[in-house]
Amino acid sequence: MNIIRRKGWEIRESQATPESVFLDRRALMRGAAFAGAGSLLPGLSSLAMAQADPTAAMYPARRNELYKLDRDLTPEATASHYNNFYEFGLSKNVFSAAESLKTRPWMVKIDGLVEKARDVGIDDLLKAMPLEERLYRHRCVEAWSMTVPWTGFPLKALVDFAKPLSSAKFIRFETFLDPKMAPGQRSFFPWPYVEALTMAEAVNDMSLMVTGAYGKPLGKTFGAPLRLHTPWKYGFKHIKSLTKISFVEKRPETFWETAGPGEYGFWANVNPQVPHPRWSQATEEVLGTGNRRPTLLFNGYGEFVADLYKGLEKEKLYI
Ligand SMILES: Nc1nc2c(c(=O)[nH]1)N[C@H]1C(S)=C(S)[C@@H](COP(=O)(O)O)O[C@H]1N2
Ligand SMILES: [Mo]
């Protein structure tokens, strides 16, 4: 694997979105909008892009300080250029290919065992949800990790919004299906990408629906405009670019379980003592540092989630 070293100018946790940046960016955006300057300032193309996103003014959101880190944040330039997004290719270098993802208009279907099925536009959904920033570790099953300031809303808030029936036992997530836009979907995998959680996992405080990262709307390569993050689980659970959320009674078959049943399971909780059939999970490469460090049970989040698995010891909880 490539080793990526952090450069001196790249950010640390304490600098992710301090108040000064928060204020400066808003002032800048007001100024740019007032002058109609997006097109006059070619050097500020990322600013122009942020303006094109109708939710840009909602970022950065207030940070929820409950979730502490034991390490630095991964620089944005590193995290956004080392991605798994198989819809756009099998390499980690999908940043440019993912730019063909069209994120507006973007509808999310909420259906299954709910009081009333509905289709909601991402911008309307965002207006109804409480946005916050959380610094979360991310541990890929491939034994690398990163730490990202995600912005989003608790999945629990979406569950309340959806009003599921008591017969709903699982929540199933589905990514868009559009092989014309996403060339990876012409390959043999069981598209579309599907993931699922139990209802108890879904309403756990840590389960986050992500709509932003690094104090801005979510970049395409990260799975804009809506993805999941359950940081005590391996990264493949964190399904990107969601278009459908269904409440169901039976445990859904997930993308990786279907593609590689001997290697990937439904629960996918991080555990350094349970190896993948082809490699150890004991340590992880910390992206951007050149170092490895020991992997922690539940990725270090056991105090928040271990109770979810009491009585389930016979399940394959750790693959
Ligand atoms: N739709 C979709 N979601 C996905 C994937 C994918 O290929 N397609 N890859 C998963 C894997 S294996 C990981 S590690 C994370 C990577 O997230 P990142 O690119 O933001 O680091 O996304 C997950 N979500
Ligand atoms: Mo992953």
Side-chain angles (χ1 to χ4, degrees):
M1 256 182 213
N2 289 333
I3 292 174
I4 306 158
R5 285 181 197 283
R6 179 173 51 212
K7 301 192 184 74
W9 49 267
E10 288 170 328
I11 57 172
R12 291 183 175 264
E13 172 184 346
S14 57
Q15 298 165 340
T17 48
E19 206 70 348
S20 56
V21 174
F22 178 84
L23 295 172
D24 283 358
R25 189 179 299 136
R26 291 202 161 188
L28 253 174
M29 300 220 314
R30 269 199 309 275
F34 182 70
S39 57
L40 300 178
L41 297 170
L44 292 182
S45 61
S46 70
L47 178 61
M49 275 160 65
Q51 279 185 300
D53 187 303
T55 62
M58 300 172 99
Y59 299 87
R62 294 265 156 223
R63 183 177 300 168
N64 179 340
E65 302 283 356
L66 187 61
Y67 305 105
K68 305 277 182 225
L69 296 180
D70 58 351
R71 59 192 79 176
D72 290 337
L73 284 174
T74 305
E76 182 180 1
T78 303
S80 63
H81 289 79
Y82 192 89
N83 301 103
N84 277 330
F85 202 170
Y86 276 27
E87 283 82 348
F88 293 99
L90 301 187
S91 84
K92 296 287 181 282
N93 184 16
V94 290
F95 180 88
S96 303
E99 283 302 308
S100 25
L101 176 65
K102 190 170 173 268
T103 55
R104 291 295 187 290
W106 190 277
M107 299 301 290
V108 180
K109 183 181 276 302
I110 299 174
D111 69 1
L113 302 168
V114 288
E115 272 181 25
K116 191 170 173 291
R118 53 176 155 178
D119 292 305
V120 49
I122 186 69
D123 300 317
D124 292 332
L125 182 65
L126 269 167
K127 275 181 217 143
M129 293 291 126
L131 282 197
E132 61 182 56
E133 183 179 72
R134 296 186 187 184
L135 312 183
Y136 270 178
R137 294 187 294 275
H138 171 115
R139 172 58 159 81
C140 175
V141 74
E142 297 162 338
W144 53 267
S145 69
M146 61 178 186
T147 308
V148 172
W150 301 110
T151 307
F153 54 85
L155 175 51
K156 191 163 52 169
L158 183 83
V159 171
D160 290 344
F161 176 86
K163 299 196 177 70
L165 307 178
S166 59
S167 50
K169 299 287 180 273
F170 297 88
I171 179 164
R172 179 188 184 277
F173 303 92
E174 193 177 295
T175 295
F176 69 85
L177 182 62
D178 185 347
K180 277 202 196 105
M181 177 174 77
Q185 290 187 330
R186 296 173 217 154
S187 70
F188 59 88
F189 281 99
W191 306 109
Y193 203 101
V194 169
E195 259 306 337
L197 297 172
T198 64
M199 285 303 290
E201 290 176 326
V203 301
N204 182 278
D205 287 333
M206 285 216 93
S207 295
L208 191 67
M209 296 301 290
V210 170
T211 61
Y214 295 94
K216 300 176 291 210
L218 201 59
K220 295 184 180 189
T221 199
F222 287 132
L226 184 65
R227 57 103 53 98
L228 177 66
H229 209 283
T230 49
W232 70 97
K233 293 179 178 282
Y234 291 117
F236 66 84
K237 296 296 287 185
H238 308 159
I239 179 170
K240 296 179 168 184
S241 303
L242 292 172
T243 52
K244 194 163 131 186
I245 299 174
S246 311
F247 292 81
V248 299
E249 200 174 338
K250 286 211 190 92
R251 190 165 108 181
E253 286 175 16
T254 59
F255 180 84
W256 281 109
E257 234 187 335
T258 309
E263 306 203 344
Y264 308 101
F266 169 77
W267 296 98
N269 295 310
V270 175
N271 187 338
Q273 299 192 328
V274 179
H276 183 275
R278 290 185 280 130
W279 59 83
S280 163
Q281 297 290 24
T283 65
E284 61 205 47
E285 179 196 355
V286 184
L287 289 191
T289 68
N291 296 323
R292 301 190 75 83
R293 56 188 293 162
T295 287
L296 304 169
L297 180 64
F298 293 118
N299 202 20
Y301 295 113
E303 64 175 296
F304 300 107
V305 299
D307 283 354
L308 289 169
Y309 305 103
K310 294 227 168 89
L312 292 171
E313 291 77 11
K314 293 212 172 80
E315 295 275 324
K316 288 185 175 171
L317 291 173
Y318 305 107
I319 63 157

